[in-house]
Amino acid sequence: MSSKQTIGFIGFGAMASRMAENLAKAGFAAVAYTPSGKGGNGDTPFLPSPAEVARKADIVLVCVPDDEALEASMYGAEGALAGMSAGGLLLNTSSVSPEATKALFDAGAAREICVIDCPVSGSTPEAESANLLVLAGGTDDAIARAKPVFDAIGRMTIHAGPAGSGARLKLVVNGIMGAGLAAVAEGIAYGLAAGLDRTMLFDAMDELAVISPHHKRKIRMAKAGDFSSQFPTRLMQKDMRLLLDAAARLAVPVPTMGAVTQQLSLTRRAAPDADYSALIGVMEKIVANDA
């Protein structure tokens, strides 16, 4: 790069702070805003509002937890859009609803701002190692503009289609991820209740080709009883809820996803900030006295 560009982060939690570290390695500078004024990277200056971040940045990158946080940080006199100039680039990596995604795209277009919905697949380990999968919706030209950023934070960018496609693909990915974890949790619960040796059972799961590397990592966490958050239960449950709503709007029956959402709602009640693999622990506790 001939000159250092500045990324303006709106939201600077576990994922965004790790993205910032990898963007710094690629030659970008960073400024950030969070509602708490706190974040995970001491080298990044924090500014008092999203608008101020946008005014200082060449590219705005949004990483907030839900539709409500997106609305609060994007709109109004202190929102990021108010601080951006025509021709600006806004990258929304948040996992939010298709409706919130479209509203942000339309608001950006009205100001001649290029908005790309680009949620990422991967948890904190992938964010730290720059191995995220970027799921991007937008035109070819828009994706090309964002390529240096995407290449710095991820191992691959999937151009999912026009604006909004990245957000929809993210719901597909996380729905399958949540359903897979629930199936693992139920299988382990049956095995424990049936009297199988716990160590043997968890170790066997780690050898099976039918279980994904992601879910094997969750099984190892559950075996150790370590549910340190890589992807919090509250966010996985939120994504499942968004998927249910999106599918219902299209009259797509998703009974499996509905049941999984209920399981994750129970887990969220028990451990909202723990990793969503805590569902395995919840199921294990339910059957603990059976054998």
Side-chain angles (χ1 to χ4, degrees):
M1 298 172 58
S2 57
S3 62
K4 181 176 285 193
Q5 288 187 300
T6 297
I7 307 293
F9 284 88
I10 309 298
F12 205 71
M15 293 293 286
S17 60
R18 287 165 170 82
M19 292 182 201
E21 291 174 0
N22 287 310
L23 284 161
K25 293 174 185 176
F28 291 91
V31 294
Y33 165 83
T34 62
S36 67
K38 299 177 182 178
N41 185 333
D43 295 330
T44 301
F46 282 74
L47 301 178
S49 71
E52 188 65 21
V53 165
R55 281 190 281 269
K56 298 287 186 183
D58 298 292
I59 298 170
V60 174
L61 189 152
V62 188
C63 190
V64 295
D66 52 32
D67 287 17
E68 293 77 13
L70 186 71
E71 181 174 355
S73 61
M74 292 295 102
Y75 305 112
E78 297 300 314
L81 290 174
M84 297 185 70
S85 302
L89 178 62
L90 191 157
L91 308 178
N92 182 20
T93 69
S94 314
S95 296
V96 294
S97 70
E99 291 72 33
T101 300
K102 183 178 187 303
L104 181 58
F105 177 82
D106 290 345
R111 292 173 173 264
E112 299 182 8
I113 294 167
C114 177
V115 178
I116 302 176
D117 52 294
C118 48
V120 295
S121 179
S123 300
T124 51
E126 288 77 23
E128 189 165 340
S129 61
N131 276 308
L132 294 167
L133 188 63
V134 181
L135 314 174
T139 65
D140 288 340
D141 288 345
I143 303 304
R145 283 187 66 185
K147 187 177 186 298
V149 175
F150 294 161
D151 288 350
I153 66 174
R155 65 176 176 84
M156 179 185 295
T157 298
I158 294 177
H159 187 179
S165 300
R168 291 178 172 85
L169 180 56
K170 173 67 170 180
L171 294 183
V172 173
V173 170
N174 278 22
I176 292 170
M177 187 166 73
L181 192 280
V184 166
E186 291 179 1
I188 288 174
Y190 162 74
L192 293 172
L196 293 178
D197 177 78
R198 184 181 190 276
T199 299
M200 179 282 299
L201 178 60
F202 277 87
D203 289 347
M205 297 298 100
D206 204 26
E207 299 297 331
L208 297 178
V210 296
I211 296 178
S212 73
H214 171 82
H215 289 115
K216 288 181 179 181
R217 185 167 77 207
K218 302 306 181 184
I219 290 167
R220 290 192 291 271
M221 293 171 67
K223 180 186 177 185
D226 177 8
F227 300 110
S228 301
S229 184
Q230 297 178 354
F231 185 23
T233 300
R234 58 184 169 79
L235 295 185
M236 174 55 90
Q237 187 264 359
K238 176 265 302 182
D239 286 350
M240 297 301 295
R241 172 176 56 81
L242 292 178
L243 174 58
L244 289 187
D245 180 71
R249 290 172 185 269
L250 296 175
V252 177
V254 287
T256 299
M257 301 301 184
V260 171
T261 304
Q262 296 304 310
Q263 290 176 297
L264 286 165
S265 292
L266 174 64
T267 309
R268 179 174 178 171
R269 283 282 179 178
D273 295 316
D275 190 81
Y276 86 105
S277 57
L279 174 57
I280 300 175
V282 168
M283 292 297 290
E284 182 173 1
K285 185 175 182 180
I286 288 171
V287 304
N289 298 321
D290 285 8

